[in-house]
Amino acid sequence: MRAFQVTSHDAPPSLVDLPVPDPGPGQIRVKIRACALNFGDLLMIKGTYQATPPVPFTLGMEVAGEVDALGDGVKGPAIGTRVLVFGGSGGLAEYGVYDAAGAVPIPDNMRFEDAAAFPVAYGTSHVALDYRARLQPGENLLVLGAAGGVGLTAVELGKLMGANVIACARGRDKLEVAKSAGADHLIDATDADIRAEVKALGGADVVYDPVGGEQFKAAFRACRPEARLLPIGFASGDIPQIPANHLLVKNLTVMGLYWGGYMAFKPQVIANSMRTLFGWYGEGKLSPHVSHVLPLSESAAAYDLLSSRKSTGKVVVSVN
């Protein structure tokens, strides 16, 4: 089978030929149909992600496909079941083996491309806004990087949860994407005074930040008393340092969110979140935004779209 692998952190990933893997005890084999790309993949390529596997490894955190074979002791999901899996890696290949317990059947009306784009982006935003920040109807939600993979879902979910959504992104085209997802107010991060514009709207109750750097600093200073700040990632490459005395003065709360971490210590949080999200999808309340779908042979070009920030929403690789 073909797989897009990192063989060295000093060389670009490449397509290689590998044997089709057999599922072990407790595992299933998935015939992969689609794999969504994530910013964390770019860090894995460099060897700087917090959960980078040892080389060589196949890229691709979240996949959708059909169960193809069952390992010993596995009773389900049955062969032929359409599933999505967050495997952490291994998705940019024609087949993958995963723990059966981590496979989630996908709705019949969900495309493989939408399913692959679903767990990390929607899961991160929903757990962050609902479970962590307890976002309330009528609150001001400031979303940085609002046209990106996770940011766009935060806009969509925030609006669905009744918040007043302030979307911040670079350029009018990206802001129009955020507007179509439900944003009430738009801020162009290219040249705007983010702090001043947010304060003019009454300040932020919740800040959703996958960007970091100067944008975090501006958002921090635009917070209302008792605001909650959610560092989701650091796409800017700059990890901000938080002045504790300012937290004290405004009674602010900073709460980190690593969605994948709940897999290890509190998986029920993810299970409950996915149940809610699939319900909303089935009701037509969620519309995954996939800006590009490329074949496995063009995986390198797909990552270029992600790293150059030429995409909006999610980039997905169609495998079969």
Side-chain angles (χ1 to χ4, degrees), residues 177-254:
V177 172
K179 183 179 179 180
S180 69
D184 298 288
H185 306 280
L186 307 175
I187 297 176
D188 191 337
T190 306
D191 52 16
D193 184 335
I194 296 173
R195 179 198 181 199
E197 293 204 23
V198 174
K199 287 182 73 69
L201 294 168
D205 295 297
V206 175
V207 175
Y208 182 98
D209 178 25
V211 178
E214 292 301 316
Q215 290 191 37
F216 177 90
K217 295 176 184 177
F220 186 92
R221 297 174 67 197
C223 281
R224 286 175 167 174
E226 293 192 328
R228 292 88 75 201
L229 297 99
L230 294 155
I232 304 296
F234 311 103
S236 68
D238 181 359
I239 300 174
Q241 303 302 303
I242 299 168
N245 59 320
H246 291 190
L247 296 176
L248 181 152
V249 170
K250 281 191 173 182
N251 291 292
L252 303 180
T253 302
V254 179

Side-chain angles (χ1 to χ4, degrees), residues 2 15 32-37 62 64 91-94 111-113 116 290 292-299 302 315-320:
R2 295 176 302 159
L15 273 176
I32 297 171
R33 299 295 189 181
C35 176
L37 309 190
E62 45 189 346
L92 285 176
E94 294 176 312
R111 300 186 311 151
F112 284 123
E113 291 82 2
V290 178
H292 297 82
V293 178
L294 284 77
L296 183 61
S297 59
E298 296 181 26
S299 295
V315 176
V316 172
V317 168
S318 178
V319 179
N320 285 299

Side-chain angles (χ1 to χ4, degrees), residues 40-311:
D41 296 339
L42 301 176
L43 301 180
M44 280 191 190
I45 291 170
K46 299 176 182 178
T48 58
Y49 190 62
Q50 60 261 32
T52 301
V55 294
F57 65 91
T58 299
L59 288 161
M61 294 184 182
E62 45 189 346
V63 304
E66 298 152 335
V67 178
D68 175 72
L70 307 179
D72 290 343
V74 177
K75 297 181 179 179
I79 291 175
T81 303
R82 302 167 78 246
V83 297
L84 69 83
V85 183
F86 176 79
S89 61
L92 285 176
E94 294 176 312
Y95 294 88
V97 293
Y98 303 97
D99 290 341
V104 180
I106 62 177
D108 292 339
N109 65 336
M110 182 179 264
R111 300 186 311 151
F112 284 123
E113 291 82 2
D114 286 349
F118 205 81
V120 170
Y122 279 104
T124 295
S125 293
H126 185 249
V127 171
L129 297 177
D130 182 66
Y131 180 76
R132 295 289 280 156
R134 308 293 184 186
L135 179 67
Q136 298 299 306
E139 288 191 314
N140 281 355
L141 168 65
L142 171 60
V143 180
L144 305 179
V150 291
L152 195 60
T153 60
V155 171
E156 188 178 8
L157 290 173
K159 187 63 176 178
L160 184 58
M161 295 167 70
N164 181 44
V165 181
I166 306 166
C168 184
R170 292 188 180 278
R172 299 308 304 177
D173 290 346
K174 290 188 175 183
L175 287 172
E176 284 302 314
V177 172
K179 183 179 179 180
S180 69
D184 298 288
H185 306 280
L186 307 175
I187 297 176
D188 191 337
T190 306
D191 52 16
D193 184 335
I194 296 173
R195 179 198 181 199
E197 293 204 23
V198 174
K199 287 182 73 69
L201 294 168
D205 295 297
V206 175
V207 175
Y208 182 98
D209 178 25
V211 178
E214 292 301 316
Q215 290 191 37
F216 177 90
K217 295 176 184 177
F220 186 92
R221 297 174 67 197
C223 281
R224 286 175 167 174
E226 293 192 328
R228 292 88 75 201
L229 297 99
L230 294 155
I232 304 296
F234 311 103
S236 68
D238 181 359
I239 300 174
Q241 303 302 303
I242 299 168
N245 59 320
H246 291 190
L247 296 176
L248 181 152
V249 170
K250 281 191 173 182
N251 291 292
L252 303 180
T253 302
V254 179
M255 43 186 70
L257 190 283
Y258 170 42
W259 179 81
Y262 282 103
M263 292 283 192
F265 70 89
K266 215 171 187 179
Q268 194 59 40
V269 169
I270 291 179
N272 291 341
S273 174
M274 281 295 146
R275 191 176 299 113
T276 298
L277 291 168
F278 277 148
W280 285 344
Y281 181 92
E283 295 168 9
K285 295 179 178 178
L286 299 179
S287 301
H289 180 88
V290 178
S291 65
H292 297 82
V293 178
L294 284 77
L296 183 61
S297 59
E298 296 181 26
S299 295
Y303 278 115
D304 285 343
L305 288 168
L306 195 64
S307 62
S308 63
R309 292 171 171 73
K310 294 179 180 177
S311 60

